């Protein structure tokens, strides 16, 4: 192995360690950065260069190269982001005396609006889950447990906007503290408190005794225990339950997913006057830019406010 290859590997390893230690990056994130940067290194190797020798021209040529391969603008933007951060790290560490990414403009990409549901559609899903819980066979302990669990999952998801992995992986301790809040451990181990609605709290209180009954002599640290390898309900199983529920509610199941309900949570909050920063905190977004996909909701709300309350708008209607 050449000296250049060894040095390149050491710099990349140090960069990944920094992302893990200082930014709490998840394993999947680190793997993605490593793949993208190794691809750029392979491109530079064809020019006999290491990352520490890359110029702005090299980076532009690389972007043209991956575009010619038919890769999407979003993929190119992600790879450029990895290259930017890596070279920023090299510059900050004194490995490089300059940052070749300073003058590079990223590829333009259209950001699609998140798929969501109307308030009425979500109400239909919640009503369908409650209807399932009110069946005539409540005396059947297993069925009663599963029905109460479904109501609890749905109410908590729509009340909090949790990621599906956060929802199914909730520890029992998350609901043992202040009844007004849910304690959530999100990406990178970041803790946050999310307010609970009264209906969500009621669903939890209804579900917990049935959970205890269902477990019998066994114990589980998870709010939604399962016999599977993970020990708790899986994302896949919850997605299946949600598809069945959407059919019962008369909705197209292809439009309904746990992530759709997360988007519905955020969109409905903003449409009803919530602050974007508060929604960011409840969603567990590390950066406000991630939450800004919902600014179309704010635009509509502001437009409605102006048309409804501005004196000139009222005057225009009167004339």
């Amino acid at each position: 192995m050449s000296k250049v290859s060894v040095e390149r590997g050491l710099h990349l390893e140090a960069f990944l360690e920094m992302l893990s230690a200082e930014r709490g990056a998840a394993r999947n994130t680190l793997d993605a950065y490593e793949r993208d940067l190794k691809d750029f290194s392979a491109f530079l190797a064809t020019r006999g260069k290491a990352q520490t020798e890359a110029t702005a021209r090299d980076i532009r040529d690389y972007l043209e190269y991956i575009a010619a391969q038919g890769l999407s603008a979003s993929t190119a933007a992600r790879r450029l982001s990895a290259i930017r951060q890596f070279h920023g790290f090299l510059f900050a560490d004194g490995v490089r005396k300059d940052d070749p990414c300073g003058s590079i403009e990223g590829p333009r990409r259209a950001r699609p609006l998140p798929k969501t549901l109307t308030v009425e559609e979500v109400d239909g899903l919640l009503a369908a889950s409650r209807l399932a819980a009110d069946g005539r066979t409540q005396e059947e302990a297993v069925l009663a447990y599963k029905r109460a669990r479904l109501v609890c999952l749905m109410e908590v998801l729509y009340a909090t906007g949790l990621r599906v992995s956060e929802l199914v992986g909730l520890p029992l301790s998350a609901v043992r503290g202040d009844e007004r809040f849910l304690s959530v451990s999100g990406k990178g181990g970041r803790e946050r408190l999310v307010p609970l609605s009264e209906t969500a709290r009621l669903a939890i209180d209804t579900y917990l005794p049935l959970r205890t009954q269902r477990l019998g002599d066994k114990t589980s640290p998870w709010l939604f225990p399962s016999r599977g390898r993970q020990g708790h309900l899986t994302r896949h199983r919850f997605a299946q339950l949600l598809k069945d529920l959407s059919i019962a509610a008369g909705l197209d199941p292809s439009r309904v997913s746990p992530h759709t309900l997360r988007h519905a949570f955020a969109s409905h909050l903003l449409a009803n006057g919530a602050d974007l920063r508060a929604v960011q905190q409840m969603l567990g977004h590390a950066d406000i830019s991630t939450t800004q996909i919902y600014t179309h909701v704010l635009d509509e709300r502001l437009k409605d406010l102006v048309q409804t309350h501005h004196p000139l708008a009222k005057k225009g209607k009167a004339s």
Side-chain angles (χ1 to χ4, degrees):
M1 185 179 290
S2 70
K3 183 180 178 182
V4 169
S5 297
V6 172
E7 287 182 355
R8 181 167 60 216
L10 291 174
H11 294 320
L12 178 56
E13 187 178 329
F15 172 64
L16 295 174
E17 285 179 0
M18 180 276 293
L19 288 179
S20 177
E22 296 181 16
R23 302 187 192 176
R27 184 68 257 171
N28 288 347
T29 303
L30 296 175
D31 290 343
Y33 273 109
E34 186 173 9
R35 282 194 302 271
D36 290 344
L37 290 171
K38 281 185 174 178
D39 189 78
F40 181 49
S41 288
F43 173 81
L44 289 172
T46 64
R47 301 183 168 198
K49 290 185 175 182
Q51 289 266 23
T52 52
E53 302 167 317
T55 64
R57 181 70 266 166
D58 290 324
I59 297 169
R60 291 193 185 95
D61 288 348
Y62 175 67
L63 293 175
E64 290 177 9
Y65 164 72
I66 60 178
Q69 289 182 309
L71 297 181
S72 67
S74 60
T75 299
R78 191 197 70 223
R79 290 192 180 179
L80 177 58
S81 174
I83 293 168
R84 280 190 200 282
Q85 292 187 62
F86 182 56
H87 281 92
F89 168 76
L90 293 178
F91 179 66
D93 255 26
V95 176
R96 288 195 61 136
K97 294 181 180 179
D98 66 332
D99 183 350
C101 299
S103 61
I104 305 293
E105 288 188 11
R108 296 186 178 275
R109 52 175 177 167
R111 201 166 186 184
L113 295 178
K115 294 178 182 178
T116 187
L117 299 168
T118 65
V119 173
E120 292 74 23
E121 287 171 332
V122 175
D123 282 343
L125 283 170
L126 294 174
S129 70
R130 294 186 202 109
L131 188 62
D134 291 336
R136 297 192 175 201
T137 54
Q138 283 284 354
E139 67 276 10
E140 298 177 29
V142 174
L143 196 54
Y145 163 76
K146 288 183 177 179
R147 287 169 169 170
R149 183 184 66 180
L150 181 59
V151 174
C152 188
L153 284 161
M154 291 299 297
E155 292 287 359
V156 170
L157 179 57
Y158 184 53
T160 61
L162 297 184
R163 299 176 180 91
V164 63
S165 56
E166 294 171 341
L167 175 70
V168 298
L170 278 173
L172 185 60
S173 58
V175 297
R176 293 300 197 196
D178 190 331
E179 291 190 352
R180 299 167 301 169
F181 296 93
L182 191 68
S183 175
V184 183
S185 178
K187 284 187 175 180
R190 289 186 291 270
E191 297 280 344
R192 70 184 190 277
L193 287 177
V194 185
L196 275 175
S197 67
E198 188 175 336
T199 52
R201 189 69 237 184
L202 180 61
I204 292 171
D205 291 341
T206 303
Y207 164 70
L208 287 177
L210 292 170
R211 175 191 176 279
T212 302
Q213 211 174 71
R214 172 72 171 158
L215 285 173
D217 296 334
K218 298 176 183 177
T219 59
S220 170
W222 307 108
L223 180 58
F224 303 109
S226 168
R227 295 175 184 171
R229 181 173 55 84
Q230 292 177 307
H232 59 70
L233 190 73
T234 64
R235 294 183 299 174
H236 180 66
R237 178 58 183 147
F238 177 57
Q240 287 177 328
L241 293 172
L242 193 52
K243 295 295 183 188
D244 293 341
L245 202 57
S246 63
I247 293 170
L251 298 175
D252 179 356
S254 68
R255 293 184 56 236
V256 182
S257 70
H259 209 63
T260 307
L261 280 169
R262 178 170 159 86
H263 288 316
F265 161 83
S267 298
H268 298 170
L269 273 179
L270 290 168
N272 284 281
D275 176 71
L276 190 66
R277 184 71 66 176
V279 173
Q280 174 202 353
Q281 292 172 348
M282 284 186 278
L283 289 174
H285 287 163
D287 196 319
I288 190 69
S289 64
T290 310
T291 320
Q292 285 172 343
I293 57 172
Y294 300 108
T295 50
H296 67 287
V297 179
L298 290 175
D299 292 342
E300 287 299 317
R301 196 181 85 207
L302 290 173
K303 191 188 303 179
D304 183 62
L305 280 172
V306 171
Q307 291 174 348
T308 306
H309 299 289
H310 198 284
L312 291 179
K314 290 181 179 179
K315 186 178 179 181
K317 287 180 182 178
S319 61

